[in-house]
Amino acid sequence: MHHTTSQSNRLDHRTRVNNKQLFIWTSVWLLTTALMAFGPKLMWDFDKTFTLIAVVLNLLAGVKMLLVNKAFLNGLDELQRKIHFNAMAVSLGVTMIAGTLYGLLQPAGLIDFSPNPSNLLFVMGISYLVAIAVNNKVYS
């Protein structure tokens, strides 16, 4: 009994640490993405040196976010890992289907504007969160 409680405490601690790291590096990546999106026009008047620095910062933050996400997944127990992998599969499929369709709307004459790929990030995030909620309900 004591052994199981100790393992559970270690898993909880590891999950809290990994969640915090994931939050921090996802936030850093989002900030560097915002810097890349708005910096050239609003902060440094399209100076190529600053833009290249922003690109490098965004890439480095993205790589670190991926590594932290991998550590987060490796730190989960089997059920939590299964829930997240299922949610990732759903999110990938939904985003692929929505992205393909979204890209074909303008050539088909159904929309007048050029599709913005960043809109797919919302589809990906929302489908991932919904899949996590559904999987938690299914496996609870």
Side-chain angles (χ1 to χ4, degrees):
M1 181 72 177
H2 178 67
H3 183 67
T4 304
T5 303
S6 176
Q7 285 179 334
S8 177
N9 286 341
R10 278 194 311 242
L11 178 63
D12 288 345
H13 175 73
R14 187 175 60 222
T15 301
R16 272 195 307 274
V17 168
N18 287 340
N19 276 340
K20 185 177 176 182
Q21 288 293 310
L22 190 56
F23 174 78
I24 289 169
W25 284 102
T26 300
S27 298
V28 170
W29 177 75
L30 284 172
L31 288 173
T32 61
T33 300
L35 186 66
M36 191 58 220
F38 301 113
K41 183 177 180 182
L42 301 176
M43 295 173 73
W44 56 77
D45 195 27
F46 297 99
D47 183 289
K48 288 186 180 179
T49 302
F50 287 117
T51 301
L52 287 173
I53 290 171
V55 167
V56 170
L57 289 174
N58 186 253
L59 284 172
L60 292 174
V63 169
K64 181 64 178 177
M65 181 181 67
L66 285 174
L67 295 173
V68 168
N69 195 32
K70 184 177 183 294
F72 166 78
L73 290 171
N74 286 335
L76 297 174
D77 66 22
E78 278 187 47
L79 179 58
Q80 291 172 329
R81 197 174 302 136
K82 180 179 176 76
I83 288 170
H84 280 273
F85 283 143
N86 284 345
M88 287 178 191
V90 168
S91 177
L92 175 65
V94 167
T95 304
M96 187 177 75
I97 293 167
T100 302
L101 185 59
Y102 187 49
L104 294 174
L105 292 178
Q106 185 187 25
L110 293 175
I111 59 174
D112 296 331
F113 57 92
S114 180
N116 186 345
S118 64
N119 292 340
L120 293 175
L121 292 176
F122 292 105
V123 172
M124 183 179 282
I126 290 169
S127 64
Y128 182 75
L129 291 175
V130 168
I132 289 283
V134 168
N135 282 325
N136 276 324
K137 184 80 173 170
V138 167
Y139 293 112
S140 65

